[in-house]
Structure formats: C-alpha cells, structure tokens
Amino acid sequence: MKPTLLATLPFLLFALTTYFPLPFTQGVEQVKDKNGSPILVSKKYFIWPADGSGGGLRLNETEQCPLVVQQAFSEDVKSLPLKFIPTENINDFIFTGYTSLDIVFEKKTKCAESSKWVVVKGGFMEPWIGIGGGVNGKSVIDGLFKIETIRSFRGYKLVFCPTISDPTGQCNNIGRFFDNENGLRLIMSENFKPFEVVFVDVEDTAGFGRSVV
C-alpha cells in the first residue's frame, strides 16, 4: 500500500464516524409515519394512539389557561398539529433513540409563553407534559424528547431524557393517566405503560377516520 494512502486512511475513518455516524449505529432507524414515509422536520404531524383507542393530542380546555397536554377520549375531538424540531440540525430526518427533539404544537394559547412541550413537576402525582415556560410557578425539568421503537407493536413511544439524571443519560417513558372526564394527561413515568403512538402527516389525513384540524 502506498504511503499516501496509508496517511489518508485515518482521516477517512475519522470523517465517516464523525459526519456519518448513523449507518454505523446499531438499532438506529428512521422514524416513519403511519403510511411508512419518513418523518420530516419540515412537515407537520398529528400524534394518534397506535392501538386506535381514543383521540389525538390537544390541550386540556377545561382549565382557565390550557397548558396541559392531553389525549382525548373521543376520536371525534380535533387534534393539534405539531412539529418535531431536532436540537442539533443534522438533516431533515429523525432517527429512533438518536435524535434529540423539541416537540412544538403549531398554535399556543394566549396565556402560554410558547407552544413547546415541557415536563412540569408539581400539581400532579407524576411530572406531566405541558406547554410554555414557567407553568404557574411550578418547576420545569430541563431535558429533551426522543422517539423510540416498540418492538412488540407497530408504533413508537415518546421518551424524555432529563439533563440531570441518575444514572446519567437515562430516559423516561411518556405514559398516560386519567385526568378528567375529557381525557388522559400525558405524564413522565417508568411506573406506567408507555403511550404507544403513530404519526400522521397533516397533509395526508383524508380517509383516516378521525376529525382533525
């Protein structure tokens, strides 16, 4: 082997593992929507239960200031479209267990600081998913969301990875708990079954069988 080629090989290996890590990462897959198309950062989606039970995600409108992310019991309740925004601008795709995300509803209520999902501690039995900044004086847990595959079913699960955790790097499932007669509150907990979900392209909801905005 020529000396020039020997000198070049270490650089090529470094470039491949630094700039193109995903093909070499075991178990990492592109996140896909219900029709099998890759989820794109540039598009909007609905989140629906993978088993078809209940409706999509919206804000709990029974509160004076709707801040709680909730799954509606009824399939006829309109769902809020959202976007997945990687915290590191890698490309337009999202990968299971790899891409750290902000999840952002398309719209926010007037009383909220933003429409970005946050995990709130206080006022409920488990940390819960809300929107905005400081939520009514309660503490917001710093961290990021990821999407992971559930091998036993056809859907995915959402997880939240706190910046400070024990052990370091631990991510917690996003589950559901009865909130009121209108729906299930999304919570962060390892004590509840993860909420198994599918993603539906907002532009491809014709014939999906649910009322959406």
Side-chain angles (χ1 to χ4, degrees), residues 12-111:
L12 290 174
L13 290 173
F14 172 79
L16 286 172
T17 55
T18 302
Y19 298 101
F20 305 97
L22 293 172
F24 303 98
T25 305
Q26 186 175 4
V28 171
E29 303 171 355
Q30 282 188 0
V31 178
K32 297 181 179 180
D33 66 18
K34 193 174 185 296
N35 292 327
S37 300
I39 294 291
L40 301 178
V41 174
S42 57
K43 303 191 76 172
K44 293 179 289 187
Y45 296 89
F46 298 112
I47 293 180
W48 291 99
D51 62 2
S53 61
L57 301 184
R58 51 89 180 269
L59 295 174
N60 180 6
E61 297 179 351
T62 62
E63 301 288 340
Q64 184 175 2
C65 178
L67 298 172
V68 178
V69 179
Q70 184 185 68
Q71 184 209 356
F73 285 132
S74 173
E75 296 182 3
D76 294 325
V77 174
K78 292 182 179 180
S79 177
L80 289 177
L82 51 79
K83 297 189 74 171
F84 300 104
I85 303 176
T87 57
E88 297 180 2
N89 189 18
I90 300 173
N91 50 43
D92 200 32
F93 299 104
I94 295 171
F95 296 88
T96 57
Y98 182 88
T99 308
S100 296
L101 299 167
D102 285 327
I103 302 177
V104 183
F105 279 133
E106 183 184 22
K107 298 179 181 179
K108 74 176 186 69
T109 56
K110 293 180 179 180
C111 58

Side-chain angles (χ1 to χ4, degrees), residues 29-37 39 48-54 75 96 147-158 193-200 208 210:
E29 303 171 355
Q30 282 188 0
V31 178
K32 297 181 179 180
D33 66 18
K34 193 174 185 296
N35 292 327
S37 300
I39 294 291
W48 291 99
D51 62 2
S53 61
E75 296 182 3
T96 57
I147 298 171
E148 294 185 355
T149 303
I150 297 181
R151 297 295 179 184
S152 61
F153 203 64
R154 60 178 180 175
Y156 297 94
K157 67 175 181 177
L158 302 173
K193 181 181 177 182
F195 181 27
E196 300 182 11
V197 300
V198 292
F199 309 111
V200 179
F208 187 63
R210 291 183 172 94

